[in-house]
Amino acid sequence: DEDDEDDDIIDHVDDEDERSDEELRKYANAMYDEMDKDKDDKVTWEEYYHVVRKDQDYVGETKAEEKEDFLQIDANNDGHISRAELVKDWLREDLDFADDDELDEDDEDD
């Protein structure tokens, strides 16, 4: 079931945990693979929203806020998110991540 696959998404990590850039790249690439449903090496708004609306880190954000996030990640404004754009976004200094305790609880639900 496609929705079950979405539940397996790699969630954000805690910035206080000071994950290495290598680890953040790994998580970003896993999220990208989850988002790119048709495997065409570009994530559309629809693919992006389909995944993030189910992500516990984003509960409470409006669709308009999600669209703003998408547009911010889409640095070249071509209407798609590339793997490089998503990885670059994950490596931003000001990016907030979920608390690891929340992630552990999510993992237990699987």
Side-chain angles (χ1 to χ4, degrees), residues 33-108:
D33 290 340
E34 186 74 25
M35 289 179 175
D36 187 19
K37 291 288 184 198
D38 61 5
K39 306 303 180 206
D40 64 351
D41 290 325
K42 43 187 170 176
V43 172
T44 64
W45 158 244
E46 292 79 14
E47 289 173 317
Y48 175 86
Y49 187 67
H50 181 79
V51 172
V52 298
R53 71 183 167 93
K54 295 176 187 232
D55 186 340
Q56 293 299 311
D57 293 343
Y58 294 99
V59 170
E61 286 199 22
T62 66
K63 190 172 185 177
E65 289 169 328
E66 295 293 1
K67 184 69 170 190
E68 285 179 34
D69 291 345
F70 177 87
L71 294 173
Q72 180 180 355
I73 298 167
D74 180 20
N76 67 358
N77 300 312
D78 67 354
H80 301 94
I81 296 175
S82 69
R83 186 177 298 273
E85 287 171 328
L86 187 68
V87 170
K88 183 177 179 183
D89 183 70
W90 274 60
L91 295 175
R92 287 187 357 237
E93 292 292 327
D94 64 335
L95 190 61
D96 291 328
F97 292 104
D99 181 39
D100 279 337
D101 293 338
E102 293 172 20
L103 299 180
D104 292 340
E105 290 171 12
D106 289 344
D107 291 340
E108 291 170 7

